[in-house]
Amino acid sequence: MPEVVVVGGGLEGCAAAWALTQRGVTDVVIVERATVGSGGTGKSSGVVRCHYGVSSLAAMATRALDVLENAEDVLGVDVGFHRTGYVVGVGEQNVDALHASMADQRAVGVRTEDIDVSEVAKLWPVADLEPFAAFAWEERGGYGDAYQTAQAFSGAARRAGATLRQGTTVTEILAEADRVRGVRLADGTEIAADHVVLAAGPWSVPLLAAHGIDLPITVHREQIVLVDPGQDLGAVPVFSDLVSLQYVRPEPGGEILFGNSDLSRLEPADPDRYSNRASEHAVDVAVAKVGARFPGLEHAAVASTYAGCYDVTPDFNPAISATPLRGLVVAAGFSGHGFKISPSVGRLVADLVVDGESSDPDVPASDFRLSRFAEGDLLTSPHPYVGAGQMR
Ligand SMILES: Cc1cc2nc3c(=O)[nH]c(=O)nc-3n(C[C@H](O)[C@H](O)[C@H](O)COP(=O)(O)OP(=O)(O)OC[C@H]3O[C@@H](n4cnc5c(N)ncnc54)[C@H](O)[C@@H]3O)c2cc1C
């Protein structure tokens, strides 16, 4: 009988399995209904930054860099991390919030600094920077490949003793009284275990609901547009534009990946049936936003589009938490920002399974407790950005 069953072979489930093996718990089974990384993970933009207003998330992001930057040593393979640097720019109304947030980030170890407009102009020469009043720079920022990273976690966990069962669907979490005792699979067989980690993204919801546990996740489609810049941009950093609400990052092949960070209007979706192409409207928005911010891209053209789904909670932050069922830990609801923190998510899950508490004082487990939604005590930034409220 394995010690731990992990339900879901996405980034977070694989990170949890790997982190458990690091804590000496090697008798772990990852159960994945399709293949590793086939859920939201395979669609991730992979932006890596520590710019969070919520301190525990900034701490998780900066700790995670130690793994992403040194993946060949830590996980045994390259995970496609590119350290390009990260720039975030805000308008006049958000200057105070930017600086307050940066101070909190530094307090948990983030390397972030003020950068002036002339320096940003050197980094992104084709950009119109006039509407910005202040910028922050993270030299350790960049982007990674979430699919490769999930595979790397899974591979490292397996080399340490974990087992991966792909093409295997969990239909039920088994419990006796208030204690978990394993999972039932679609073929009717059971895997008995004293601990279950539920990391099945939006598909976690019905598995918990069967036990009367509410995980408030709604699913939304997020559309990505790849732009051919029509010129060689050189080594540009990831740019988060909190004035017109967009993020752009380079692709290894020279294209620009555009994401719309205006999350004030969300498009509800079914994660099992959604269009994988951006709508005409979304492409129009991308063309308008990229065109306005980067007027120097005179010969730019849309190269391709695709879409993925965010599993969104009421505060746009995940539940990484014990549950009313003893032995059951949930890690879901990453709301579109679970890549950059994934190594730290794994660590927190492993801590919860082994010790029942976080081993990192900067990452209190209480921040991510599932019960905060029912309590109405949401996890939000103390320095919210006006007009960009979903930037956590
Ligand atoms: C378009 C897009 C852009 C993003 N950009 C960024 C970004 O720039 N930076 C960032 O930090 N994050 C980003 N994210 C978020 C990040 O990619 C996700 O938070 C993360 O990949 C979620 O991983 P997960 O393991 O929780 O979920 P998933 O990858 O969805 O994994 C869940 C797994 O569970 C499996 N499963 C479901 N039901 C069952 C069952 N009953 N039995 C067994 N297995 C089951 C599924 O097949 C799936 O593989 C983005 C996400 C999207 C969609």
Side-chain angles (χ1 to χ4, degrees):
M1 161 166 140
E3 271 182 86
V4 185
V5 173
V6 176
V7 184
L11 198 45
E12 316 303 344
C14 293
W18 166 74
L20 281 162
T21 65
Q22 298 299 294
R23 295 285 323 258
V25 181
T26 56
D27 203 354
V28 177
V29 182
I30 306 169
V31 183
E32 164 54 50
R33 68 173 189 172
T35 52
V36 164
S38 56
T41 294
K43 298 299 184 68
S44 187
S45 302
V47 167
V48 172
R49 52 141 169 119
C50 301
H51 194 86
Y52 276 103
V54 174
S55 274
S56 49
L57 286 163
M60 289 173 96
T62 193
R63 312 287 193 269
L65 279 170
D66 296 336
V67 174
L68 298 175
E69 287 176 339
N70 303 300
E72 290 196 30
D73 292 336
V74 181
L75 301 175
V77 283
D78 172 36
V79 295
F81 176 64
H82 297 259
R83 182 168 157 168
T84 61
Y86 169 84
V87 184
V88 52
V90 300
E92 194 61 54
Q93 58 189 352
N94 284 319
V95 172
D96 291 346
L98 180 92
H99 289 135
S101 179
M102 288 170 74
D104 284 1
Q105 290 161 32
R106 288 191 196 102
V108 294
V110 175
R111 276 171 21 207
T112 180
E113 55 192 285
D114 291 304
I115 180 173
D116 73 25
V117 67
S118 64
E119 288 167 288
V120 180
K122 281 186 221 143
L123 294 165
W124 264 103
V126 292
D128 171 16
L129 302 173
E130 201 272 319
F132 295 98
F135 300 91
W137 165 249
E138 288 174 29
E139 62 172 348
R140 294 176 82 192
Y143 68 96
D145 185 317
Y147 181 80
Q148 257 179 277
T149 308
Q151 295 285 348
F153 282 133
S154 153
R158 278 146 65 209
R159 283 193 298 281
T163 308
L164 170 65
R165 291 183 61 176
Q166 299 187 102
T168 306
T169 301
V170 169
T171 53
E172 191 183 347
I173 292 169
L174 300 170
E176 241 165 48
D178 65 347
R179 165 105 229 162
V180 81
R181 65 169 182 83
V183 296
R184 178 171 290 122
L185 307 179
D187 66 3
T189 60
E190 296 180 0
I191 307 177
D194 285 336
H195 299 273
V196 172
V197 172
L198 179 58
W203 300 278
S204 307
V205 174
L207 292 169
L208 287 174
H211 294 278
I213 301 171
D214 183 32
L215 172 61
I217 284 178
T218 51
V219 182
H220 300 283
R221 194 166 81 103
E222 190 58 29
Q223 305 171 66
I224 302 294
V225 176
L226 289 156
V227 176
D228 173 354
Q231 59 181 270
D232 181 1
L233 288 173
V236 288
V238 177
F239 190 173
S240 179
D241 166 355
L242 296 187
V243 171
S244 63
L245 299 181
Q246 61 180 312
Y247 65 85
V248 292
R249 69 153 177 84
E251 279 278 281
E255 288 173 347
I256 301 170
L257 183 151
F258 162 90
N260 187 354
S261 47
D262 182 356
L263 300 178
S264 58
R265 277 187 304 279
L266 297 171
E267 179 186 324
D270 175 344
D272 292 307
R273 267 170 296 276
Y274 64 91
S275 167
N276 192 35
R277 294 186 59 184
S279 66
E280 254 179 63
H281 174 69
V283 172
D284 288 346
V285 169
V287 168
K289 288 194 177 192
V290 173
R293 181 60 59 236
F294 304 102
L297 297 179
E298 287 164 6
H299 305 292
V302 172
S304 62
T305 74
Y306 60 89
C309 286
Y310 283 0
D311 50 348
V312 177
T313 68
D315 59 15
F316 276 80
N317 283 316
I320 309 167
S321 174
T323 65
L325 274 187
R326 279 188 297 134
L328 175 64
V329 169
V330 64
F334 286 87
S335 308
H337 60 99
F339 169 64
K340 63 185 78 61
I341 56 172
S342 55
S344 305
V345 172
R347 178 175 166 188
L348 178 55
V349 170
D351 286 349
L352 291 174
V353 170
V354 176
D355 305 320
E357 60 191 43
S358 172
S359 60
D360 186 339
D362 290 331
V363 183
S366 57
D367 273 18
F368 301 100
R369 72 194 187 284
L370 175 60
S371 62
R372 73 181 188 276
F373 301 120
E375 293 157 6
D377 184 16
L378 300 183
L379 180 60
T380 52
S381 168
H383 318 294
Y385 289 124
V386 178
Q390 281 76 28
M391 178 69 152
R392 293 295 148 203

